[in-house]
Amino acid sequence: MSITAADIARAADLLHDVVAPTPLEYSRWLSELVGGDVFLKCENLQRTGSFKLRGAYVRMARLPKRDRARGVVAASAGNHAQGVALAAQLLGIKATVFMPHGAPIPKEKATRAYGAEIRFAGTSIDDCLTAAREFEAETGAILIHPFDHEDIVAGQATTGLEIVEQCPQVRTVVVPTGGGGLIAGIALAMQRDGMPIEVVGVQAKGAAAYPASLAAGEPLQLEQMATMADGIAVGLPGTVPFETIQRYVSEVRTVDEDSLSEALLLILERAKLVVEPAGAAAVAAVLDEPARFKPPVVVVLSGGNIDPLLLMRVIRHGMAAAGRYMSLRVRIPDTPGGLATLLSRLAEVDANIIEVLHERISKTLNLDEVEVALQLETRGEDHRERVLASLSGNGYTYTLN
């Protein structure tokens, strides 16, 4: 790849009046875990809610006039879609965006609000890319790839320039990674004489194309993907960023769904920031193994576009993963005061009852039993185990949902 420091500087000039530098926030709770300074690079607060506007605008601003007249087409689960749509609006270009069926509704609505035409294709970004390329061949529209173009990578690299300016002492940068455009750009921006900076990528375990691809020395297609982190669910690494990632990225780690949920919850609680699952991936990696990252550490929050309904589910999942939420069913005697006694036992161990459902009729119950479905808030794994031990010790039979 032939992207130079001059290319990145020109991209920054193009973006000067388009994107605002995003905040770099000190994180006390992560710093305590790591044993040194940790900062959050808040790209979730960027225009359109993610870093994607940077690359999309640079790519489209550099199109010749004749190409702009043909319009552009893109494929995205939502963040790149919004970046392309806003860039097209600012530059006066017609935009068509292919999104997978089931794409988050807020991302779809925001993309439409910026003036793009939405079409649905398949269930993944790879399906949408196929449809977008077919549309390009049929109409002559210019494909604005989400990560596999030098202008895109140069635009995303401006995030790295900001990190260096805001935290010149940085030693480790941790980056959510999908196709590779953001981490490749940041890795290029980190190349400073006499300043060793380690760049670490993070992928969702259920959509991790890079570890196997890097081991093989070439991009490999995943056969299937399953993750809530749709923003980094990319089945085939980009050929343009791949060489840079091979050369300059120390490692690409993976995190599971529990870690993503717990990270999102903690970012909301501790940093007071809303992120999507993909945007929480780098924090999840730090939580999984804090000693791995040499401070000062900059952790990139890559996006904040999350469906409120998904946010509620992820928060509950994150609480469960942290031992702070339980859903269970308890059998109690069908006698007066039976429910009150159960609730008293739970109160004795400080379990906070969120919801109670009292079921008297079920073919699995004996005639002298009722079943109580409970949702409880607990203070962590130790407290959770004390609650369950109390139920068992008082003769209750329960099943966890």
Side-chain angles (χ1 to χ4, degrees):
M1 182 161 50
S2 57
I3 299 172
T4 65
D7 293 326
I8 298 172
R10 284 192 289 270
D13 288 340
L14 275 175
L15 293 171
H16 184 267
D17 295 322
V18 177
V19 303
T22 51
L24 190 76
E25 299 287 347
Y26 180 73
S27 174
R28 185 178 303 278
W29 55 283
L30 286 176
S31 297
E32 290 174 354
L33 282 175
V34 169
D37 290 341
V38 178
F39 301 87
L40 302 174
K41 178 58 174 169
C42 301
E43 282 296 289
N44 59 311
L45 301 180
Q46 185 56 262
R47 291 180 72 176
T48 74
S50 85
F51 68 94
K52 288 289 191 176
L53 176 61
R54 297 174 183 269
Y57 188 89
V58 170
R59 171 79 172 100
M60 293 162 66
R62 289 178 173 171
L63 289 175
K65 186 176 180 179
R66 65 181 181 278
D67 287 344
R68 294 191 190 190
R70 293 156 59 186
V72 298
V73 62
S76 169
N79 288 343
H80 180 60
Q82 291 176 70
V84 167
L86 178 55
Q89 183 185 79
L90 294 173
L91 294 166
I93 301 172
K94 175 179 170 55
T96 302
V97 178
F98 285 87
M99 301 183 78
H101 292 284
I105 293 173
K107 294 182 180 182
E108 175 200 342
K109 289 186 176 297
T111 303
R112 292 187 191 276
Y114 290 127
E117 178 186 349
I118 302 295
R119 301 190 182 191
F120 292 97
T123 58
S124 69
I125 295 174
D126 297 311
D127 294 336
C128 292
L129 277 170
T130 299
R133 289 191 175 101
E134 291 172 354
F135 184 87
E136 179 185 35
E138 292 169 3
T139 67
I142 304 300
L143 175 65
I144 307 301
H145 199 283
F147 48 83
D148 213 8
H149 192 280
E150 292 183 359
D151 287 341
I152 296 287
V153 174
Q156 317 307 24
T158 61
T159 309
L161 292 185
E162 289 179 19
I163 290 171
V164 170
E165 182 177 343
Q166 294 168 324
C167 185
Q169 72 275 24
V170 62
R171 289 295 178 270
T172 309
V173 183
V174 194
V175 189
T177 303
L182 177 62
I183 190 170
I186 288 176
L188 286 168
M190 293 294 110
Q191 302 312 305
R192 301 162 62 199
D193 292 339
M195 182 69 77
I197 302 174
E198 184 179 34
V199 180
V200 178
V202 184
Q203 294 202 290
K205 188 170 292 185
Y210 264 98
S213 296
L214 290 169
E218 61 180 344
L220 299 178
Q221 176 73 54
L222 288 178
E223 294 183 2
Q224 59 184 10
M225 295 183 291
T227 179
M228 71 178 81
D230 61 282
I232 52 174
V234 178
L236 180 66
T239 56
V240 171
F242 189 79
E243 180 184 346
T244 293
I245 291 169
Q246 276 185 308
R247 185 174 180 183
Y248 295 123
V249 172
S250 301
E251 179 187 9
V252 177
R253 302 172 68 84
T254 63
V255 292
D256 63 21
E257 302 297 284
D258 284 352
S259 293
L260 287 169
S261 299
E262 188 174 355
L264 187 149
L265 175 63
L266 286 170
I267 293 166
L268 183 64
E269 286 186 330
R270 303 291 185 86
K272 316 305 179 189
L273 292 168
V274 176
V275 296
E276 59 194 275
V283 171
V286 175
L287 292 173
D288 280 353
E289 194 178 341
R292 160 67 181 80
F293 304 95
K294 182 179 180 180
V297 181
V298 172
V299 181
V300 179
L301 307 180
S302 57
N305 296 310
I306 184 168
D307 185 319
L309 293 176
L310 175 61
L311 179 60
M312 289 190 293
R313 294 198 300 271
V314 172
I315 287 173
R316 184 166 292 182
H317 189 103
M319 290 179 68
R324 295 172 50 193
Y325 174 85
M326 275 197 299
S327 178
L328 70 163
R329 306 180 80 86
V330 183
R331 293 191 178 195
I332 63 174
D334 187 13
T335 57
L339 178 59
T341 300
L342 169 64
L343 299 184
S344 296
R345 295 291 178 263
L346 291 170
E348 288 170 1
V349 288
D350 295 324
N352 184 31
I353 299 168
I354 300 172
E355 187 174 316
V356 178
L357 179 62
H358 198 219
E359 297 182 353
R360 288 183 170 274
I361 301 173
S362 171
K363 64 181 181 181
T364 64
L365 291 172
N366 297 323
L367 292 175
D368 60 348
E369 289 181 321
V370 295
E371 190 168 60
V372 181
L374 294 164
Q375 293 180 15
L376 306 177
E377 181 184 8
T378 53
R379 300 179 185 278
E381 286 292 348
D382 290 344
H383 186 208
R384 179 179 183 274
E385 293 306 316
R386 288 202 305 274
V387 171
L388 295 177
S390 175
L391 289 174
S392 297
N394 284 286
Y396 291 106
T397 300
Y398 64 84
T399 56
L400 294 170
N401 295 336

